[in-house]
């Protein structure tokens, strides 16, 4: 089984060409939906009593949502604007709401998950919750600059209890205080995690595993409309694929990284989760095969 | 035959860890030496009467330097400083010297070159000189922000007479006034060139050829000491490989791009041309094969 722990949000996304208000968003939403095309995930998250029924239906469709807690109050709310190039985002408003007092626990039925994805939650919370699982075979976490700036030592402690981290290049540099990404990855691995995936947005990703470096270029896209959730879709696709193979061998991990790239590329082609929810497994396999064909020489 | 036309310079390179004064540099020097491991190039360039004999020996060793003109005056001089991350360079001094009044012509013995590389020279000069060759099979040019800013229409005209361009991502954006690199490449191809290679430094490169996009990640390096000449070594390796194969088929071009990556990666591991001149063909083939192994999945 695969479990995803993270945020479910109500997003307002502003790009130069369009504003999408009150969309279903959040790191766990993107990661879980992306993962679901490979392996149906359990979801640990919280929403408020304002959470629209239609969004509940989306989560029910793609996930085992029995771990979704309905709390009194309003759902976590995020509002952000992209610049003209869609490469940088400014936060206009964040309301934690029900997320603020959420004390997540792992439901009994999820405890036997072999695969666990911990999204960009409070690192101390991630470190605590991973211990509630009984037989984790492979865990992966994410983190963001906010936690690195405010709780760096907790982020480093989290590296000691997870198998892998997916992290942006700039965040890896910030966390390790190192410019060179190979040196940065080695430093992170010294803190305990066996596997580091550095995401470089339009430049693809670098996987570090023992002495192996696996660089993979991004799927080149001419029309990107909304980068929201690309990183979470990458992570979800990656761990979903590994869960479906029930494997953590290098070959499976390389393929998983490419599936991560593929899912990220679908995510940014439409607004919000629209790039993911309309997909079929065949769409995904076709893009994977196309990618393989263009990258190989 | 392969001919390289560009600058030979005396460089002073300042990095945070070392200053190298009066080194042999210049776009044509790097490109020609890099190319020489695949196919010995002819060299069209000018130096002054201060040009050190030991540097003449280097050029004689790696190139057919009968096209090197010795003019009265001092050799082109460049002085630049890198920042702490080695990712941006500031020019301290440029003295054109003999380059200023150089009127290059193609020596009789080079006119039958099938492969021609025009480095980041004045685009009007590149456009003129390519016409002096009798039977060009494949020509490639480079350009830099200076020409794009001061002679944009000449750069665009140059696209109409060459087969391919290698260009940095930022320069491609500046030239086409387009952020998305696929759109930028398409725009450049509309001006006439069949093939566009966008170099992205540590992120590798993108090759555009008809409807094909071939993304290739850079060779990941932990210790970069001097990025000078990386782009020229890339271009030289690429066209040198094509000349050695006497081919412009897609498969050869893809391999040539990877050889370009490989030569760029060697160039930055030592100061100045030291990363190139000590190489053997076996070193290069080994790194190509290693690269192939890590990138494939």
């Amino acid at each position: 089984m695969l479990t995803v722990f993270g945020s479910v949000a109500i997003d307002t996304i502003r790009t130069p060409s369009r504003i999408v208000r009150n969309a279903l968003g959040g790191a766990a939403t993107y990661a879980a939906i992306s993962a679901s095309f490979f392996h149906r995930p359990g979801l640990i998250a919280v929403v408020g009593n304002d959470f629209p029924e239609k969004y509940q239906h989306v989560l029910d469709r793609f996930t085992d949502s029995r771990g979704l807690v309905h709390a009194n109050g309003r759902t976590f709310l995020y509002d952000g604007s992209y610049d003209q190039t869609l490469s940088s985002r400014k936060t206009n408003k964040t309301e934690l709401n029900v997320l603020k007092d959420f004390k997540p626990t792992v439901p009994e039925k999820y405890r036997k998950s072999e695969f666990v994805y911990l999204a960009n939650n409070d690192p101390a919370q991630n470190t605590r919750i991973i211990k509630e699982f009984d037989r984790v075979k492979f865990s992966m976490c994410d983190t963001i600059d906010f936690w690195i700036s405010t709780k760096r030592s907790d982020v480093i402690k989290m590296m000691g209890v997870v198998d892998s981290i997916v992290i942006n290049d700039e965040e890896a540099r910030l966390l390790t205080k190192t410019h060179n990404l190979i040196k940065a990855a080695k430093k992170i691995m010294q803190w305990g995690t066996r596997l580091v995936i550095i995401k470089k947005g339009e430049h693809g990703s670098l996987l570090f595993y023992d002495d192996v470096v696996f660089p993979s270029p991004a799927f080149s896209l001419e029309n990107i409309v909304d980068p929201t959730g690309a990183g979470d879709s990458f992570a979800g696709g990656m761990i979903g694929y590994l869960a479906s193979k029930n494997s953590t061998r290098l070959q499976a991990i390389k393929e998983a990284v490419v599936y991560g790239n593929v899912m990220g590329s679908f995510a940014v082609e439409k607004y919000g989760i629209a790039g993911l929810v309309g997909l079929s497994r065949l769409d995904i396999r076709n893009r994977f095969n196309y990618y393989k064909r263009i990258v190989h020489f």
Side-chain angles (χ1 to χ4, degrees), chain A residues 179-250:
Chain A
H179 183 77
N180 182 285
L181 293 176
I182 303 182
K183 288 183 178 156
K186 284 190 175 173
K187 206 160 172 180
I188 294 173
M189 289 162 102
Q190 279 167 7
W191 292 327
T193 176
R194 276 161 51 216
L195 207 144
V196 175
I197 302 105
I198 298 184
K199 293 174 293 178
K200 304 193 295 173
E202 64 164 321
H203 303 301
S205 64
L206 294 170
L207 161 73
F208 299 87
Y209 184 26
D210 295 335
D211 285 341
V212 174
V213 184
F214 173 54
S216 53
F219 194 87
S220 297
L221 294 173
E222 193 167 346
N223 293 304
I224 296 173
V225 304
D226 175 14
T228 308
D232 300 305
S233 302
F234 179 104
M238 192 179 159
I239 200 158
Y241 180 75
L242 289 174
S244 77
K245 292 277 163 192
N246 192 25
S247 171
T248 58
R249 283 178 44 235
L250 180 61

Side-chain angles (χ1 to χ4, degrees), chain A residues 4-5 30 52-53 73 75 101 115 124 136 156 199 215 219 224 230 240 243 276:
Chain A
V4 171
F5 163 47
Y30 281 98
E53 206 173 331
T75 304
D101 297 318
F115 292 82
V136 176
I156 293 172
K199 293 174 293 178
F219 194 87
I224 296 173
L276 298 179

